[in-house]
Amino acid sequence: MEYNFDEVISREETDTVKYGLREKLFGSKDVIPMWVADMDFRVPKEVQDALKARVEHPIFGYTIQSERCWESVVNWLERRHNWKVDQKELVFSPGIVPALSLLVHAFTKPEDKVLVFSPVYTPFFEAIKGNGRKVVPHHLQEVEGKYTIDFSVLEEQLSQGVKVMIVCNPHNPSGRMWTKPELQRLVELGKKYDTLIVSDEIHADLVLWGNKHTPMATVSEEAANRVITCMAPSKTFNLAGLNASYLVFKNETLQKQYRSVAGTLHLDFGGTMGTEAMIAAYTYGEEWLEQLLPYLERNISLVVNFIKEHIPEIKPMVPDATYLLWLDCRALGLDDVSLKQFMVEEAGIGLNEGRLFGEGGKGWQRMNLACPKSIVEKAMAQLKVAVEKRRIVSQ
Ligand SMILES: Cc1ncc(COP(=O)(O)O)c(C=O)c1O
């Protein structure tokens, strides 16, 4: 079946974060929302069919994640990532953000240090601070348009007693995929300083340009033992509202410790519709995904080329994966408040503010390109006019 990702589907009436919060966040309903990371595309037909079929049954009691569910996950991980996982290594979670918070809670004590690679997805900070733990930010360095880890600085940081490091692979906001040697070095350092590693791989299926994702837990025997992996079909198939994700524990002892926290809160199992959607997506969604990825690549190329030609003040960091584009807007010469104002009031687009991704994010903006090309073109045209006006004013 051929999917038409050009189709513009109104989401106005469906109480979505992306559209429903525009007024509150941007002060206007008129901005083109290119912020929160979900897509404006319809899901694979088989997913919608599975949900419709389940709705036909009139009883919605408690649900289990049965053999059928875990088999779909195991097969997906093997097919897409060449990763052999056993069903007993999987734990359901209604979301990765709640799982991150539970992991911090389960594996650290108040005041313990947790390291993140900054700038990074804002809830990483909240999961640590909200639990009364200390954030240790490792500042990613920009080298030739890509973020890199300074391993000597990292080693110094870990030697000060970091209990957990949270890796985001592929990385949000930059879309950087950490290489196997980089992942191996992280694991070696984790071993040396006895630091547990949480690897958030929610964007793993959205790899671009023929790249191949390396699950961190596969890079060595030590990695399998030390890394807890977070994954989900939610980013891949646009199912974030259905609350279905999971963790992979190769290490049984770590799983027990996690369950002792997640289990008491009943956050280790999930709901009826999310489970059905996950099974259908992983079982039948591959064809849809194979059509989605080149569409995302074309949207990203469109913006990168357009900006290069018309708006050289802005420098995009070309992602290896994901539909998020991290834009260096520092040359516009605006402070954070004025930059947001400029994007909203003059360009009419609603983006994520870089400063919210921690240090290193100031002066940057994150743009979500998982929307029809016509919307991307409109946003680019508006941005170009706004920047041109600014150039005239500041002359
Ligand atoms: C790195 C990362 N982790 C987690 C999430 C959200 O996970 P969930 O919706 O399952 O809580 C996102 C969403 O953008 C993300 O980018």
Side-chain angles (χ1 to χ4, degrees), residues 39 63 116 151 162 178 196 204 223 265 277 286 312 314 326 334 345 385 391:
M39 308 196 257
T63 293
V116 297
F151 281 94
V162 168
W178 305 108
L196 183 72
L265 294 165
E286 210 151 5
I314 298 178
W326 188 228
L334 297 166
E345 291 169 22
V385 170
R391 274 188 214 130

Side-chain angles (χ1 to χ4, degrees), residues 12-176:
E12 294 288 354
E13 306 305 322
T14 54
D15 281 352
T16 59
V17 167
K18 198 186 226 170
Y19 290 78
L21 293 185
R22 277 173 304 179
E23 186 121 41
K24 186 172 169 204
L25 283 175
F26 304 110
S28 161
K29 270 185 103 174
D30 292 330
V31 288
I32 302 176
M34 304 179 90
W35 63 295
V36 66
D38 69 21
M39 308 196 257
D40 291 333
F41 303 132
R42 64 171 68 239
V43 299
K45 182 177 181 308
E46 291 87 348
V47 173
Q48 209 177 359
D49 287 348
L51 293 172
K52 281 183 191 163
R54 183 62 187 82
V55 164
E56 283 305 312
H57 192 289
I59 300 174
F60 298 95
Y62 293 115
T63 293
I64 54 166
Q65 283 70 55
S66 65
E67 179 90 13
R68 191 169 69 93
C69 168
W70 292 134
E71 204 175 87
S72 75
V73 175
V74 167
N75 290 341
W76 180 261
L77 295 180
E78 176 147 26
R79 242 183 10 257
R80 297 297 295 190
H81 303 299
N82 199 20
W83 190 16
K84 279 198 177 32
V85 165
D86 195 281
Q87 292 194 20
K88 67 177 188 314
E89 295 164 354
L90 301 166
V91 179
F92 192 92
S93 176
I96 296 304
V97 171
L100 291 173
S101 189
L102 292 170
L103 285 162
V104 168
H105 191 82
F107 294 102
T108 61
K109 294 202 241 352
E111 300 294 309
D112 275 351
K113 293 179 190 162
V114 180
L115 185 138
V116 297
F117 296 85
S118 173
V120 78
Y121 181 53
T122 315
F124 280 25
F125 298 99
E126 290 156 2
I128 301 165
K129 286 193 241 166
N131 279 298
R133 277 58 165 173
K134 287 199 173 119
V135 177
V136 177
H138 175 87
H139 299 303
L140 293 168
Q141 307 295 313
E142 199 189 336
V143 179
E144 290 170 11
K146 294 251 177 220
Y147 278 137
T148 56
I149 297 165
D150 185 328
F151 281 94
S152 56
V153 172
L154 179 65
E155 177 149 15
E156 175 60 28
Q157 291 178 301
L158 295 182
S159 71
Q160 307 289 313
V162 168
K163 282 281 181 307
V164 177
M165 62 176 137
I166 309 181
V167 178
C168 191
N169 184 37
H171 178 256
N172 172 6
S174 68
R176 170 81 150 79

Side-chain angles (χ1 to χ4, degrees), residues 262-294:
T264 54
L265 294 165
H266 282 204
L267 289 173
D268 56 352
F269 63 90
T272 310
M273 301 315 267
T275 305
E276 287 301 334
M278 179 150 100
I279 296 168
Y282 278 163
T283 310
Y284 306 110
E286 210 151 5
E287 191 191 2
W288 179 93
L289 179 60
E290 288 299 337
Q291 293 178 44
L292 170 79
L293 295 175

